[in-house]
Amino acid sequence: MSETKIFSDLAVGNGWSQHKDIDLYFTKELGPRFAQILPKVYRTPRGLSVRLDVLCMCPSFQEDAEFIGGDYANWAFLERRHPTTILKMPSFQEDIVLEGLLQVERWVLSVDRAEVLEKLSGFPPSLLIGYALRHITALAILGRRKKIESYLDSYRRGVDVGFCAGIGEEVLLRALQLCSRRAETDASST
């Protein structure tokens, strides 16, 4: 049996769901968010390495990004773990892999949503589509209406603020709609 299959069985046996898109990946619900890992199992001269690319996904953030960005929202993870988790072992060892999976879960649960939103709101708009959408979504969630309006004004005047193709007037208008919706919700709950 391949090491990838052993990893898959171990992850699934410990509450992770297996998915196949272009690559094999796994998710696990952890309260109001979920972890997503993209594992790569490979042999090295010293044994075996398991690389885990880890994303912290937040359904409410993803829903807001889908509302704003439509088809581009598949890039709408809340946070990516840096550095990538790499488990090294002489041969496949369940205890090392299980500890790695527990580290992933602990990291996802430790992500401070408010802190990440602040960080995303400060991203430059010139980043790739997924990061630009995360930036705009964070601005809308945080109610930074003036910043979104300034982007929209620049866009309408033909001033390039650096957004890549796909971020245009419709996306910015939906971000303003989300700002308004959130303001109304906040006002009605006080």
Side-chain angles (χ1 to χ4, degrees):
M1 186 179 320
S2 77
E3 286 89 359
T4 301
K5 174 70 171 130
I6 295 169
F7 175 89
S8 298
D9 290 347
L10 187 60
V12 169
N14 282 277
W16 291 80
S17 298
Q18 182 176 322
H19 310 274
K20 179 81 170 149
D21 194 349
I22 294 170
D23 293 303
L24 179 68
Y25 68 98
F26 297 82
T27 58
K28 186 171 186 177
E29 278 192 50
L30 300 167
R33 55 186 73 157
F34 60 95
Q36 179 177 313
I37 56 173
L38 177 67
K40 297 288 183 200
V41 181
Y42 52 96
R43 292 207 167 276
T44 67
R46 294 192 172 131
L48 191 71
S49 288
V50 178
R51 175 185 164 144
L52 302 176
D53 291 319
V54 183
L55 299 177
C56 174
M57 308 293 285
C58 180
S60 63
F61 182 81
Q62 197 158 4
E63 287 168 14
D64 289 341
E66 286 172 3
F67 173 76
I68 293 170
D71 293 340
Y72 298 110
N74 61 339
W75 290 89
F77 56 89
L78 182 62
E79 182 72 300
R80 176 181 298 234
R81 184 172 184 178
H82 292 287
T84 297
T85 301
I86 299 180
L87 311 171
K88 296 179 180 182
M89 56 200 95
S91 61
F92 195 92
Q93 293 176 277
E94 286 188 18
D95 58 330
I96 292 175
V97 174
L98 287 173
E99 179 57 34
L101 292 173
L102 284 172
Q103 287 175 11
V104 166
E105 291 177 32
R106 285 192 291 269
W107 175 78
V108 167
L109 292 170
S110 75
V111 170
D112 183 328
R113 186 175 186 272
E115 185 178 299
V116 172
L117 289 174
E118 280 299 328
K119 180 178 81 173
L120 292 174
S121 73
F123 275 14
S126 59
L127 295 173
L128 298 172
I129 184 80
Y131 288 94
L133 178 59
R134 291 171 62 220
H135 167 68
I136 293 167
T137 302
L139 290 173
I141 290 169
L142 294 170
R144 307 266 167 83
R145 182 175 199 84
K146 288 184 182 190
K147 183 68 173 175
I148 299 168
E149 287 172 341
S150 75
Y151 285 152
L152 182 59
D153 181 58
S154 294
Y155 181 84
R156 287 178 172 164
R157 290 184 296 116
V159 176
D160 183 12
V161 295
F163 284 125
C164 56
I167 302 291
E169 186 171 17
E170 287 181 22
V171 168
L172 296 169
L173 286 171
R174 286 193 297 267
L176 289 171
Q177 281 181 300
L178 183 62
C179 271
S180 296
R181 247 188 358 208
R182 286 190 163 283
E184 290 169 10
T185 302
D186 291 347
S188 68
S189 64
T190 56

